[in-house]
Amino acid sequence: MPRLNAGTRHVVRFTLNGRPAAFEVEPRMLLTDALRHLLGATGTHVGCEHGVCGCCTVLIDGMPARACLTLAVQAEGCEIRTIEGLAPSPARLSILQAAFRRHHALQCGFCTAGILMSLEAFLATRPDPSAEELREVLSGHLCRCTGYAPMIAAALEAAAKLREDAVHV
Amino acid sequence: MLAQQGKWIGQSVERVEDAALLNGRGRFIDDLGAKPGTLHAAILRSPHAHADIVSIDTAAARASPGVAAVITAAELADITAPLVAGVRAPIETRPIAVERVRYVGEPVAVVVAADRYLAEDALDFIEVSYKPRPTVIDPLAALAADAPVLHEGLGSNLVSERHFTYGDPERAFASAPHRVSVSVRYPRNTGSPMETYGVIAEYDPHEGAYDILANFQGPFSIHAVMARALKVSGNKLRLRLPPNSGGSFGVKQGVAPYAVLIAAAARIVGRPVKWIEDRLEHLSASVSATSRVTTLSAAVENDGRIVALDWDQIEDCGAYLRAPEPATLYRMHGNLNGAYDIRHIRVRNRVVLTNKIPSGLVRGFGGPQVYYALERLMQRIAVTLKLDPLDVIRRNLIPAGAFPYRTASGALYDSGDYARAVALAVEKGGLDDLRRRRDEARAAGRLYGIGYAAVVEPSVSNMGYITTVLTAEERRRAGPKNGAQATATITLDPLGSVTVKVASAPQGQGHRTVLAQVVADVFGLSKDEIQVSTELDTAKDAWSIASGNYSSRFAPAVAGAAHLAAVKLRSKLARIAAAQLNVRAEDLVFAGGKIFSRTNPDAALPFARVAATSHWAPATVPDDAKDALSETLFWTPPELTAPTDADAINSSLCHGFIFDFCGVEVDRVTGKVRIDRYVTMHDCGRVLHPGMVEGQIRGGFAQALGAALYEELAYREDGAFLAGTFADYLLPTATEVPDITILHMESPSPFTPLGAKGVGEGNCMSTPVCIANAVADALGAEAIDLPLTPAKLAALVHGEEPTPPRDMFKPRVSKPGERRIIGAGETRVRAAPELVWKMLLDTDVLASVIPGAHGVKKLSETRFLADVTLGVGPVKGRYKAEIALSDLDAPKAARLSGSISGALGNGEGSGVVHLAPDAQGGTVISYTYEGAVGGKVAAIGDRLLDGAAKVVIGQFFAALARQIGAEEHRPGLMARLLARLLALFGVRR
Ligand code: FES
Ligand code: FES
């Protein structure tokens, strides 16, 4: 691991939602701050900055991670996915996103980005989840608006739809 | 009028808000770009619950890199004035502490710097010297004659006391065969939205005007409070709201004092200043619901009918009274009879101050406190008189034919059929089945109970209810206050498309979607053709003091105002179309994007064309349809009158009804509550969007579940704040929230334009007490207070756990603002005790093994001074530690005592180290420590703090063992190492 100097800025190069990206940061800068304020990727939210709420969840090399507990310099060479990269095209929602809208699985939408990222990663490895498993996944996130039930319904529906689509390909 | 069947209202259409939010394109306050040159603020907060500020030295902080200013009360004295509250009292409430702090988390200084990181760096360099004062946390203790007084001008901690009598309670109590009472303590909890507060403020010295962007939620009566606090007229305070807000649940009303603070800071530095609150700040110093001690008695007939109630409420508003407080206590004043027909009521209301976070709006606002007492009382009446609790509820319900029903204390219940709602819930919710389950569970020896709650949910607050806290004479002097102005503006543009603007300040409730539905129905358009803006700007938009998102007023009041504005505009458009088509306006129908004659559908015009007419050809418009360009409508219900001289107050316009029941099982061993089934029946009048109503109920239920079982903004008796992180203040997650059965009935409100009533707060009122009643039933418990934590319930099942014996230390009495840590451990090193002893007394060795030490200075043979950086959970800071060694018993034992202080907290404590030879020629080092930690660090929860203590002390010994391995020949370190570590955790004897 390279040694980084606390006082100086370091150029960090990585992939953000499939495109090359870079920022220049002090080693202490959090990934949340760098994504949001240096790159303008403000879809990743900060609810607690201590790793509990899950609002800041992004995918780092396919794995869900708390961006608030990740230093920006740790992004070096990684593939990072955020909420901004979820929709297939600007005017279309992904199957999971559309299911969330249909089931009113969001209200204020502040927790939503992190939850969608966790579910996206989970459904990729577990295409036929039970409601119980989804509850487990969601329990890594706090939502203060919805009471969670509509999210589980949405995720179940999205999983079914994704399986169907996979069969037809 | 041209009434027609609504096509959109009542449908669960997809929300217009969602596509952006689902793609991360919401625009929350921290997502909005700030102007170039914007500086960032960080706030230094009090680690003490109650202390005098002896001095504040900001020199080092000012010299810190990137710092533009360090602002304390002294700098703000000239440009700010106190924040006024709901009652006049000799209390100065300011956004920053002046000479004295009164709760943990109170702002003491603001650093404004080039970025947030630099601002937080500088916080560490501000040196504040405090002189702690005695603390009072318990509201009853605050009333004692010898209680420490928070505000000397007041002479005591009692801010307000009022007595009310409605009917003849005295006689009722004298003649009723039974008197049943409950005493309950409602705890402190909060809405804790996922997005914290945020403010971006700017001052224009040429205009003498402030521009504040804040995720405020209203009520906009607080705009007046802010303007006065900033010493400007209302029109010099432009308050803007961001397009999205990440939840509020009442809480974001409390951003107001911070808006004042940051705005004043912006004025001082001459640049825009931005501040985003962090979670620890939010939990410790945003807004809490009031805690309340209530004694409630009922005069009861043999059959369980209640003749009279006697309320004694002691409301704890925290360290300062902030507007609109003491409104929490009076919001329910018209409803103190709940859902029951009770004509005689006596009330004694007292408002007290304690060394806790000031209270404010939190979802349910007064309802949870009132219904916790009232519905616990209903259960107790049943138990006492050996009646079925459901029968007691049924016998007391207001009869269906009685609406509109005037309560004893003055509320006018608009509509309902409570008995039918209960009957429907019992039938459709499967109460019989639940009773069977209870019998089976009990037969199997399990602790199972059923609870009920019947609740009237008020919505659309009367701006005058707060004045019930004043006497009739005081009210006369102050002038009457009443009403609930709602407003909406509908604009037609030159292409004839429709835009709706409201002052509703949504925080995720989907107002834009519902307004599009409401207005589309009036104009016969598609909901997608209606554009809705909720981005309030007080400099440009229509608003009133009642604006905002509180008291569940959106559906009944704001949506209603939008409907009325649209209807008004439609009648003008009808006259324009009638003139063009040569038909009678009364015969015109608006549907499918067209305006056409009912009798001759060929006589038709496109809606957009008529809507654009007043732009393009005003001269062609008939006189009675002038200015069909834009319609701003204000609506206030006539039913919301000021309190009468007899203190009768119609505190809210609408009154929904909720009936809940649930079955719970309490684990005999752990005390954990499992909700077996929860049924909630709602009558919220006409439902405008079923999906959103369900969302409000589910979300409200989840919050209420948290309040019932997990959440408490806990304080230790000495004022230390104990719930500073989400690891301590536990919000329910998906695994805790059970699925619930939601049932509906619709009794439209005759008082609102659309027949809708509020629905957002009901479960926060009904659910906590419904669960508590079920738990009381399961355990046969008489007194039971929230939150119903496993520890509390296990104690009810098994009796209190004995406190573990402590042999090493005499228990110390904690000082205010402290938190105690106790621990012990053991480690082995290969060196003999004599060598270990020497190392312990060596400065260099100490310096190298104390975690986070930057340097150790030797003051004497047995006293050391160390500079350390330590992180506990999210709180990392630099501290100065002083360590002393005593009771030296070479090479067997020593006592280490120390104290530590830094910007983030302070601690002291002591530890004892024993060295004993082991069989291999090495040493067994065993240690115990006990300490107390205060300040910001103390707000970190037990798990984190104790865990961190263990880790750091463990690190110390591990490092020592390594050091001994590496330098077997160098003498003496352990003493210092230990001392510092222990000092960090407040170890001192
Ligand atoms: S912001 Fe990262 S977990 Fe809460
Ligand atoms: S939708 Fe608001 S926090 Fe989840």
Side-chain angles (χ1 to χ4, degrees):
Chain A
M1 228 200 183
R3 250 193 108 76
L4 301 176
N5 193 334
T8 51
R9 288 168 187 250
H10 302 266
V11 177
V12 179
R13 289 176 214 286
F14 58 101
T15 311
L16 181 61
N17 297 322
R19 295 183 184 202
F23 40 54
E24 201 181 327
V25 292
E26 283 181 26
R28 67 171 172 171
M29 181 170 267
L30 301 177
L31 182 57
T32 41
D33 287 337
L35 286 173
R36 292 176 47 77
H37 300 307
L38 301 181
L39 298 185
T42 54
T44 301
H45 294 151
V46 177
C48 71
E49 252 180 352
H50 55 259
V52 181
C53 75
C55 288
C56 64
T57 305
V58 299
L59 303 187
I60 302 182
D61 295 335
M63 293 290 292
R66 302 289 206 231
C68 76
L69 299 183
T70 306
L71 294 170
V73 290
Q74 291 175 274
E76 176 67 42
C78 294
E79 205 165 294
I80 295 185
R81 279 188 75 196
T82 64
I83 183 75
E84 286 91 349
L86 221 49
S89 74
R92 252 180 67 208
L93 298 181
S94 74
I95 286 171
L96 183 62
Q97 288 171 315
F100 260 60
R101 180 163 72 176
R102 206 159 31 250
H103 287 268
H104 302 292
L106 66 159
Q107 288 182 28
C108 76
F110 199 78
C111 68
T112 311
I115 286 173
L116 288 176
M117 297 319 287
S118 277
L119 286 175
E120 175 85 1
F122 182 69
L123 292 180
T125 58
R126 190 102 179 94
D128 193 2
S130 68
E132 255 344 277
E133 288 171 322
L134 290 167
R135 241 175 232 288
E136 272 309 313
V137 173
L138 286 183
S139 73
H141 294 267
L142 298 176
C143 171
R144 200 52 161 165
C145 298
T146 63
Y148 308 104
M151 293 185 197
I152 293 167
L156 282 171
E157 186 191 284
K161 183 105 204 309
L162 286 165
R163 285 197 304 277
E164 222 173 83
D165 287 6
V167 172
H168 290 122
V169 172
Chain B
M1 237 323 105
L2 317 145
Q4 65 169 72
Q5 199 48 34
K7 178 175 167 214
W8 298 106
I9 291 181
Q11 277 198 52
S12 283
V13 298
E14 293 190 348
R15 305 196 319 169
V16 293
E17 289 87 349
D18 288 353
L21 293 169
L22 287 162
N23 279 304
R25 309 235 175 262
R27 285 175 297 147
F28 299 90
I29 188 160
D30 193 32
D31 303 343
L32 304 175
K35 271 193 186 172
T38 298
L39 298 172
H40 297 262
I43 300 175
L44 182 73
R45 293 170 182 276
S46 168
H48 295 280
H50 201 186
D52 291 312
I53 299 175
V54 180
S55 63
I56 306 180
D57 182 353
T58 60
R62 282 176 212 275
S64 182
V67 171
V70 180
I71 297 163
T72 66
E75 285 78 20
L76 294 177
D78 288 346
I79 57 170
T80 60
L83 298 147
V84 296
V87 288
R88 248 176 236 285
I91 303 170
E92 271 216 357
T93 302
R94 295 203 177 242
I96 196 161
V98 183
E99 288 167 15
R100 181 158 156 193
V101 291
R102 293 179 174 88
Y103 63 97
V104 171
E106 183 169 1
V108 172
V110 182
V111 172
V112 181
D115 69 36
R116 177 64 178 251
Y117 287 73
L118 294 171
E120 288 189 22
D121 285 348
L123 289 185
D124 277 2
F125 299 120
I126 303 176
E127 303 258 355
V128 187
S129 144
Y130 296 98
K131 189 158 157 267
R133 283 172 171 261
T135 302
V136 62
I137 288 301
D138 183 290
L140 292 180
L143 286 172
D146 59 349
V149 172
L150 272 76
H151 300 270
E152 267 76 22
L154 204 55
S156 73
N157 297 315
L158 181 66
V159 190
S160 151
E161 170 160 11
R162 284 223 64 196
H163 295 255
F164 305 89
T165 304
Y166 304 99
D168 192 350
E170 200 135 332
R171 217 179 63 191
F173 272 98
S175 58
H178 306 278
R179 181 189 181 102
V180 181
S181 304
V182 289
S183 275
V184 299
R185 281 174 172 263
Y186 191 84
R188 291 212 143 208
N189 52 37
T190 188
S192 193
M194 296 320 299
E195 181 198 38
T196 57
Y197 292 167
V199 179
I200 305 172
E202 197 177 344
Y203 178 73
D204 181 338
H206 311 293
E207 297 262 346
Y210 287 98
D211 184 341
I212 301 177
L213 178 70
N215 51 11
F216 180 61
Q217 66 133 46
F220 278 72
S221 49
I222 297 191
H223 181 275
V225 175
M226 290 192 265
R228 281 203 217 165
L230 286 166
K231 304 218 269 197
V232 292
S233 55
N235 57 5
K236 301 280 188 192
L237 171 54
R238 179 179 189 179
L239 179 60
R240 293 179 296 127
L241 271 44
N244 293 104
S245 178
S248 171
F249 320 112
V251 171
K252 281 179 178 158
Q253 154 265 329
V255 75
Y258 292 103
V260 170
L261 183 62
I262 300 304
R267 177 169 175 173
I268 289 170
V269 297
R271 303 252 294 267
V273 176
K274 174 174 173 177
W275 171 71
I276 303 292
E277 186 191 43
D278 73 25
R279 184 57 59 180
L280 174 55
E281 293 182 286
H282 188 80
L283 287 168
S284 64
S286 59
V287 151
S288 162
T290 59
S291 34
R292 188 179 298 177
V293 181
T294 304
T295 305
L296 174 62
S297 306
V300 192
E301 303 285 5
N302 288 326
D303 65 354
R305 271 218 37 108
I306 301 169
V307 199
L309 289 175
D310 186 353
W311 288 89
D312 185 335
Q313 308 188 94
I314 299 170
E315 180 84 327
D316 177 358
C317 284
Y320 298 87
L321 204 60
R322 274 194 204 150
E325 293 289 52
T328 312
L329 185 55
Y330 285 90
R331 193 242 181 141
M332 306 295 294
H333 199 79
N335 307 70
L336 290 171
N337 56 306
Y340 311 119
D341 185 15
I342 305 170
R343 301 311 310 171
H344 308 285
I345 299 180
R346 181 164 54 206
V347 188
R348 180 187 192 190
N349 277 347
R350 281 171 285 179
V351 178
V352 304
L353 300 181
T354 60
N355 292 111
K356 298 204 284 274
I357 167 178
S359 61
L361 271 61
V362 174
R363 194 177 197 172
F365 200 51
Q369 292 89 334
V370 158
Y371 286 114
Y372 196 78
L374 184 56
E375 294 303 293
R376 283 292 300 127
L377 179 71
M378 298 305 282
Q379 199 250 2
R380 290 304 307 158
I381 290 173
V383 172
T384 311
L385 304 188
K386 303 202 168 41
L387 299 168
D388 180 338
L390 188 55
D391 287 342
V392 177
I393 289 175
R394 280 184 180 133
R395 270 173 210 157
N396 284 290
L397 290 175
I398 295 166
F403 294 93
Y405 173 89
R406 183 72 72 177
T407 68
S409 50
L412 187 62
Y413 288 5
D414 42 350
S415 62
D417 185 342
Y418 300 171
R420 194 160 79 87
V422 170
L424 274 175
V426 165
E427 186 206 318
K428 292 200 189 153
L431 180 62
D432 285 344
D433 181 48
L434 203 60
R435 284 178 166 145
R436 223 175 0 258
R437 290 175 71 84
R438 172 173 67 177
D439 295 344
E440 282 166 18
R442 286 186 173 174
R446 286 159 29 212
L447 298 170
Y448 194 107
I450 292 179
Y452 306 90
V455 154
V456 166
E457 175 181 6
S459 51
V460 189
S461 282
N462 182 347
M463 296 313 282
Y465 79 75
I466 302 158
T467 62
T468 318
V469 69
L470 307 174
T471 62
E473 176 53 35
E474 288 167 331
R475 284 197 296 266
R476 264 193 295 278
R477 262 184 277 133
K481 305 239 178 357
N482 72 288
Q485 289 283 9
T487 182
T489 298
I490 313 227
T491 306
L492 304 172
D493 60 47
L495 291 179
S497 55
V498 181
T499 302
V500 182
K501 285 197 284 181
V502 292
S504 71
Q507 304 105 14
Q509 294 91 343
H511 291 181
R512 293 177 57 216
T513 302
V514 176
L515 290 168
Q517 290 175 280
V518 166
V519 173
D521 272 352
V522 174
F523 290 136
L525 299 172
S526 159
K527 65 160 177 70
D528 302 321
E529 293 173 89
I530 313 289
Q531 191 66 27
V532 182
S533 163
T534 52
E535 295 164 49
L536 182 62
D537 178 340
T538 59
K540 295 162 99 179
D541 298 324
W543 59 281
S544 110
I545 57 164
S547 295
N549 197 13
Y550 61 95
S551 75
S552 305
R553 67 197 303 278
F554 172 73
V558 179
H563 170 83
L564 294 177
V567 166
K568 208 164 159 198
L569 200 50
R570 183 181 63 187
S571 71
K572 285 188 187 173
L573 295 179
R575 288 195 285 272
I576 295 171
Q580 292 183 16
L581 292 170
N582 240 335
V583 296
R584 289 173 359 142
E586 294 75 33
D587 288 341
L588 288 176
V589 176
F590 287 64
K594 288 198 170 59
I595 304 172
F596 55 89
S597 162
R598 196 189 316 272
T599 50
N600 173 18
D602 287 343
L605 287 167
F607 173 86
R609 182 175 171 143
V610 179
T613 306
S614 297
H615 282 282
W616 299 101
T620 69
V621 169
D623 280 353
D624 58 356
K626 286 281 178 235
D627 310 323
L629 297 158
S630 173
E631 191 68 56
T632 295
L633 183 131
F634 282 88
W635 175 78
T636 184
E639 291 82 9
L640 294 185
T641 48
T644 66
D645 279 357
D647 293 314
I649 175 66
N650 187 18
S651 30
S652 306
L653 178 66
C654 304
H655 298 86
F657 179 69
I658 301 171
F659 176 68
D660 287 3
F661 64 86
C662 68
V664 309
E665 184 173 345
V666 181
D667 187 300
R668 219 177 245 293
V669 177
T670 62
K672 190 177 161 185
V673 173
R674 182 183 66 84
I675 298 186
D676 187 33
R677 185 177 304 165
Y678 198 101
V679 177
T680 183
M681 156 61 92
H682 284 254
D683 183 348
C684 60
R686 185 168 173 212
V687 172
L688 306 183
H689 187 297
M692 287 186 206
V693 165
E694 181 169 328
Q696 286 300 311
I697 293 170
R698 286 191 188 281
F701 172 79
Q703 284 189 9
L705 181 76
L709 301 182
Y710 313 109
E711 297 176 29
E712 182 173 12
L713 291 173
Y715 287 83
R716 218 174 39 201
E717 218 172 291
D718 58 23
F721 179 61
L722 305 178
T725 73
F726 276 151
D728 309 286
Y729 191 80
L730 299 176
L731 309 190
T733 74
T735 44
E736 282 88 47
V737 182
D739 212 356
I740 58 175
T741 305
I742 300 173
L743 301 169
H744 280 292
M745 204 177 103
E746 288 194 23
S747 307
S749 172
F751 302 156
T752 66
L754 295 167
K757 306 181 183 185
V759 71
E761 301 176 87
N763 282 91
C764 290
M765 306 181 189
S766 60
T767 297
V769 68
C770 185
I771 293 174
N773 280 342
V775 169
D777 183 43
L779 303 184
E782 191 182 325
I784 190 162
D785 282 331
L786 303 181
L788 303 168
T789 56
K792 212 181 265 180
L793 298 188
L796 280 174
V797 178
H798 314 288
E800 297 277 345
E801 264 186 52
T803 21
R806 281 209 219 122
D807 40 24
M808 292 301 294
F809 303 101
K810 280 181 244 117
R812 261 178 74 251
V813 180
S814 310
K815 284 207 225 129
E818 287 181 349
R819 177 159 209 174
R820 306 190 61 70
I821 295 175
I822 316 167
E826 196 179 278
T827 190
R828 283 165 192 276
V829 293
R830 261 183 288 147
E834 290 73 16
L835 177 61
V836 175
W837 181 262
K838 269 201 270 175
M839 292 181 82
L840 262 177
L841 294 176
D842 182 287
T843 324
D844 295 339
V845 178
L846 277 181
S848 65
V849 302
I850 293 177
H854 307 292
V856 176
K857 233 191 278 166
K858 190 169 188 171
L859 301 175
S860 77
E861 271 317 303
T862 55
R863 286 186 57 228
F864 306 91
L865 199 62
D867 212 5
V868 291
T869 298
L870 269 190
V872 181
V875 182
K876 189 169 180 184
R878 260 178 111 103
Y879 303 85
K880 279 195 181 57
E882 229 187 293
I883 301 122
L885 291 170
S886 60
D887 298 356
L888 299 182
D889 179 9
K892 283 188 260 167
R895 182 179 284 274
L896 296 148
S897 342
S899 63
I900 179 159
S901 63
L904 293 174
N906 48 73
E908 55 176 46
S910 68
V912 175
V913 185
H914 285 277
L915 306 179
D918 69 8
Q920 290 81 41
T923 305
V924 179
I925 307 173
S926 54
Y927 54 92
T928 51
Y929 56 89
E930 183 188 19
V933 178
K936 200 174 195 178
V937 171
I940 307 283
D942 279 325
R943 277 183 288 175
L944 278 175
L945 205 52
D946 290 347
K950 266 201 199 88
V951 167
V952 175
I953 289 172
Q955 279 172 2
F956 169 82
F957 285 105
L960 180 68
R962 272 201 306 277
Q963 187 83 355
I964 288 170
E967 320 180 29
E968 295 229 347
H969 306 296
R970 287 197 50 193
L973 26 82
M974 205 153 195
R976 269 156 150 192
L977 288 168
L978 264 178
R980 264 196 174 160
L981 282 170
L982 295 175
L984 281 170
F985 301 102
V987 184
R988 177 197 262 181
R989 75 170 132 211

